[in-house]
Amino acid sequence: MSKYHIQGLEEYFQVYRTSVDHPEKFWEQIADEHFSWQKRWDSVLNWDFTKPEVTWFAGAQLNITENCIDRHLATRGDKTAILFEPNDPNDPAEHITYTQLHKRVCAFANVLKDQGIQKGDRVCIYLPMIPELAISVLACARIGAIHSVVFAGFSATALSTRINDASCKMVITSDGSFRGSKTIDLKGIVDEALDQCPSIQSVLVARRTHTDIQMKEGRDHWLQPLLDKAATDCPIEVMDAEDPLFILYTSGSTGQPKGMVHTTAGYMVYSAYTFKNVFQYQEDDVYWCTADIGWITGHSYIVYGPLLNGATTVMYEGVPAYPDWGRFWQIVAQHKITQFYTAPTAIRALAKENLDFVEAYDLSSLKVLGTVGEPINEEAWHWYNDNIGKKQSPIVDTWWQTETGGIMISPIPFATPTIPTFATLPLPGIQPALMDEHGKEIHGNQVEGRLCIKFPWPSMARTIWGNHQRYKETYFSAFAKMYFTGDGALRDATGYYRITGRVDDVIIVSGHNLGTAPIEDAVNEHPAVAESAIVGFPHDIKGNALYGYVILKETGETRNHNNLRKEINQVITEKIGPIAKLDKIQFTTGLPKTRSGKIMRRILRKIASKDTSNLGDTSTLLNPEVVEEIIENALV
Ligand code: WTA
């Protein structure tokens, strides 16, 4: 029985049992049989969730790019590794073979070295979805530099916060980016961010939009001339299993974003293994994940997981609605996509449009459909299943997180029977637990609780960059000796899991995690604002949208409220990015507070969701009368 490739439900149950009964043997065999190592490990797993400290394959040495690229050259040199589909459908797609990818990654790695980047240095990558993004990620990994990709929709302030948190030495960016009919001035955003970033020594600029930009003498360099001069061979840097591979930021419920640190060997083994099984990838498949590499989904399932399996992975530069809502399906038909992985918010947006956009294209190449990022509602699931999969392609509803590095709970297509809205069963090696409010595990089925993981898995984040204490407090303190996910879940009669959503102050808007505290901080920076509270409310397409309750400093504020709303959203756009804009802003004279001064968000959430029939106990409030005022003026 091959443990690496699960085929069938019985086999899944057997493999799962082995992975729980003998986790070390299980992962050791996979690591031995499917990867190249410079040196084998001394021990498979060491762990202590109280510290918390976890190591996988300690003592081993390797380079992940040898496994992503070099290992395939002999057998797959001419196979397409990355298939780049540009924003403009009239521009040709680019097929980058494994041989070409090797050369381009090596040349890029040599440029990084020439610029003084060494093993352990942090490099910030702020690029659109163009091949240079994947190539620069791999080039960093080749020389042991730690990449920190920042999604190119983040604002200058958000970018500088992330650069400074990790003291990055370099930024890799482009002149601009194409998104549908828009051109975005990325370099301008970088310039603004870098006013605040003393650690940055150099900036590499890829040419994409030919926008007229400023180049700062001595700091900024056009990428292409440097690549043209660079040698196309670059030896790997030999890395220890637990050397950091990358940092990726995710929102917390409070404070600064958290720089999740992923290390080399465990991440490699787990991202490869889950890619193979969750997408049932076969040699000639053409796999497409529509995420951006700025998110964990893009790291694990556009770059690393697929390339580790010698797959063809599609990178799409544009947006679903350009030039029209048929664009995704046109790409599926054109490249004969076999696996298609997207977010529920995209599915809901596509489902609103005329079916003609779907029916114009031949989607018969599709074998597996996937979703990720937020709970998928039943209606969207059925639309996807009926119209895209034509009821022939299993849908994998994959639950996981930036922190988990890889997919944790998901059906295995053609093995696990699917049920809409259920992520179904844990993947091999994953031991979920549901916990009650007293910190006790809830056993048995047909139960609901807070979702924890009770045993380490290879690709778990090892720490928060520069703040191990926060890592411990956020993930290992709510429940003794458990990793706490921040999500609620239920387990049905058959043992299937359904994720019910966040149980903390993180709100998922269009699949993006947003912490309420940083948005409130941004709103409070507007000179007219005294205080604010932000909650989520259900939204047809975005899943959740943001509702802000704002107290103004002067009750007699004379400015027009609509202008103020625009200004507040402008501050949010500058501080965080347009994804965090508020859909609704209600001005109020007070916020419901407990006697200890905490805002009762539960009440605000209910009002924003038009659910005021049962507000629960408001008697403990300092100012119960304000609730009436808020309900009366609610924007619903
Ligand atoms: C949510 C994305 C329900 C969840 C890979 C999690 C989901 C957060 C699902 C992590 C799913 C992700 N069903 N909820 N299939 N997938 N989530 O870090 O709340 O961007 O904690 O990682 O998204 O988001 P992140």
Side-chain angles (χ1 to χ4, degrees):
M1 177 177 74
S2 157
K3 288 194 178 116
Y4 188 72
H5 183 196
I6 299 169
Q7 293 161 288
L9 193 59
E10 271 317 297
E11 197 177 46
Y12 159 77
F13 283 119
Q14 281 173 27
V15 170
Y16 184 76
R17 190 71 346 252
T18 312
S19 78
V20 171
D21 292 345
H22 309 285
E24 299 198 20
K25 259 183 31 207
F26 175 77
W27 290 113
E28 179 162 67
Q29 191 184 342
I30 289 170
D32 256 331
E33 289 173 4
H34 296 278
F35 302 90
S36 304
W37 303 87
Q38 295 289 318
K39 176 176 170 287
R40 209 169 172 270
W41 44 92
D42 303 321
S43 62
V44 177
L45 170 65
N46 295 292
W47 67 293
D48 177 351
F49 273 2
T50 57
K51 281 186 176 162
E53 202 174 279
V54 175
T55 66
W56 282 92
F57 308 107
Q61 294 188 318
L62 72 154
N63 186 288
I64 195 168
T65 70
E66 179 180 17
N67 285 277
C68 286
I69 309 172
D70 307 47
R71 189 163 53 110
H72 306 306
L73 292 177
T75 50
R76 300 187 177 105
D78 295 332
K79 176 175 174 175
T80 302
I82 295 176
L83 199 172
F84 171 64
E85 175 64 34
N87 179 62
D88 184 341
N90 298 315
D91 288 346
E94 189 185 348
H95 289 254
I96 303 171
T97 66
Y98 274 90
T99 301
Q100 291 165 336
L101 183 63
H102 181 256
K103 292 201 166 109
R104 290 178 68 172
V105 169
C106 284
F108 208 126
N110 286 325
V111 169
L112 295 178
K113 287 205 276 192
D114 286 346
Q115 294 292 319
I117 301 297
Q118 296 174 348
K119 177 176 178 177
D121 286 344
R122 277 78 60 206
V123 172
C124 174
I125 302 174
Y126 187 74
L127 278 170
M129 282 286 285
I130 56 178
E132 285 78 2
L133 174 49
I135 290 168
S136 59
V137 159
L138 294 163
C140 286
R142 190 144 188 108
I143 64 165
I146 302 169
H147 55 78
S148 168
V149 183
V150 176
F151 172 60
F154 275 116
S155 71
T157 313
L159 175 60
S160 65
T161 306
R162 286 159 177 77
I163 289 172
N164 291 335
D165 184 72
S167 309
C168 294
K169 249 173 131 171
M170 172 190 269
V171 182
I172 304 170
T173 189
S174 63
D175 49 357
S177 69
F178 293 126
R179 285 190 65 76
S181 55
K182 287 192 230 152
T183 304
I184 295 153
D185 173 21
L186 278 196
K187 179 61 168 51
I189 298 172
V190 170
D191 288 341
E192 195 187 328
L194 293 193
D195 283 343
Q196 320 289 334
C197 300
S199 60
I200 293 294
Q201 295 172 2
S202 56
V203 178
L204 299 182
V205 186
R207 208 192 271 286
R208 177 61 185 147
T209 53
H210 295 267
T211 314
D212 196 15
I213 60 165
Q214 303 278 331
M215 294 291 279
K216 189 169 168 186
E217 184 81 41
R219 184 193 72 182
D220 302 351
H221 310 275
W222 286 108
L223 178 63
Q224 197 56 49
L226 300 178
L227 287 173
D228 291 343
K229 280 188 281 184
T232 54
D233 201 10
C234 172
I236 56 164
E237 182 76 36
V238 176
M239 305 299 286
D240 289 339
E242 286 294 338
D243 277 338
L245 174 64
F246 65 85
I247 303 170
L248 186 61
Y249 288 85
T250 186
S251 308
S253 41
T254 55
Q256 296 271 349
K258 298 171 287 191
M260 305 313 306
V261 177
H262 283 282
T263 59
T264 306
Y267 176 82
M268 172 178 80
V269 169
Y270 195 77
S271 61
Y273 178 74
T274 49
F275 174 75
K276 174 72 182 173
N277 286 296
V278 171
F279 299 103
Q280 289 290 305
Y281 184 83
Q282 304 287 332
E283 189 59 39
D284 295 321
D285 288 348
V286 180
Y287 161 90
W288 180 24
C289 165
T290 70
D292 191 289
I293 294 175
W295 310 114
I296 191 67
T297 304
H299 280 60
S300 302
Y301 300 110
I302 296 179
V303 182
Y304 288 114
L307 297 179
L308 286 163
N309 284 281
T312 298
T313 179
V314 174
M315 273 181 82
Y316 172 49
E317 182 182 26
V319 295
Y322 181 79
D324 62 45
W325 285 98
R327 182 66 161 130
F328 273 10
W329 318 126
Q330 178 261 316
I331 295 173
V332 168
Q334 182 186 344
H335 298 300
K336 301 202 168 38
I337 303 291
T338 42
Q339 289 89 354
F340 177 76
Y341 190 28
T342 197
T345 188
I347 298 167
R348 288 190 295 264
L350 290 156
K352 283 222 156 197
E353 302 303 320
N354 199 309
L355 266 184
D356 293 349
F357 287 120
V358 178
E359 283 161 2
Y361 300 101
D362 174 8
L363 306 183
S364 60
S365 56
L366 289 169
K367 297 193 288 192
V368 175
L369 302 177
T371 86
V372 60
E374 56 185 310
I376 180 164
N377 50 308
E378 211 158 333
E379 206 183 339
W381 193 97
H382 282 296
W383 185 86
Y384 201 27
N385 189 41
D386 295 352
N387 299 298
I388 308 306
K390 322 279 182 201
K391 298 194 166 106
Q392 301 293 312
S393 302
I395 296 176
V396 289
D397 178 352
T398 64
W399 173 83
W400 59 298
Q401 309 178 294
T402 305
E403 295 86 337
T404 69
I407 297 168
M408 304 286 279
I409 303 182
S410 166
I412 306 258
F414 311 107
T416 320
T418 58
I419 305 181
T421 78
F422 281 80
T424 74
L425 297 169
L427 293 180
I430 306 307
Q431 301 187 32
L434 296 180
M435 309 299 290
D436 70 16
E437 63 268 39
H438 309 296
K440 281 186 67 179
E441 183 170 354
I442 312 167
H443 294 281
N445 289 345
Q446 279 187 302
V447 291
E448 185 166 356
R450 303 198 158 201
L451 179 61
C452 288
I453 312 291
K454 55 184 170 187
F455 193 84
W457 63 101
S459 66
M460 62 190 292
R462 303 294 195 260
T463 190
I464 292 175
W465 183 263
N467 199 345
H468 197 65
Q469 187 58 27
R470 186 175 182 199
Y471 175 71
K472 179 175 175 165
E473 279 161 16
T474 312
Y475 304 107
F476 295 91
S477 301
F479 303 97
K481 296 190 187 165
M482 298 260 177
Y483 166 82
F484 175 45
T485 64
D487 284 321
L490 61 82
R491 192 163 50 223
D492 78 356
T494 58
Y496 272 21
Y497 288 86
R498 174 191 195 167
I499 312 302
T500 48
R502 300 291 309 185
V503 294
D504 55 11
D505 284 330
V506 170
I507 304 171
I508 305 191
V509 178
S510 299
H512 303 313
N513 290 6
L514 299 173
T516 49
I519 307 175
E520 287 165 5
D521 290 346
V523 173
N524 298 349
E525 289 206 17
H526 188 287
V529 173
E531 200 184 351
S532 61
I534 287 160
V535 298
F537 69 97
H539 184 280
D540 278 8
I541 291 178
K542 301 191 214 180
N544 295 294
L546 300 176
Y547 193 118
Y549 299 89
V550 173
I551 306 179
L552 296 174
K553 280 185 184 151
E554 289 173 41
T555 34
E557 178 63 52
T558 47
R559 260 182 290 180
N560 172 313
H561 276 185
N562 278 337
N563 284 344
L564 265 177
R565 289 188 175 98
K566 280 194 198 128
E567 288 173 22
I568 289 170
N569 270 330
Q570 188 53 33
V571 180
I572 295 175
T573 305
E574 281 159 20
K575 298 283 164 195
I576 301 167
I579 50 179
K581 283 204 283 196
L582 308 180
D583 266 45
K584 292 181 183 170
I585 299 178
Q586 176 178 354
F587 295 105
T588 172
T589 60
L591 293 167
K593 288 193 177 164
T594 62
R595 284 174 203 280
S596 58
K598 267 187 89 172
I599 298 171
M600 275 261 224
R601 287 168 196 282
R602 180 174 53 80
I603 293 177
L604 296 176
R605 247 179 249 130
K606 286 205 157 194
I607 297 173
S609 314
K610 305 185 212 180
D611 173 21
T612 47
S613 55
N614 177 16
L615 288 179
D617 184 12
T618 55
S619 64
T620 57
L621 287 179
L622 201 60
N623 51 352
E625 70 288 347
V626 82
V627 175
E628 286 307 309
E629 180 210 311
I630 294 179
I631 294 176
E632 209 161 284
N633 300 322
L635 304 168
V636 292

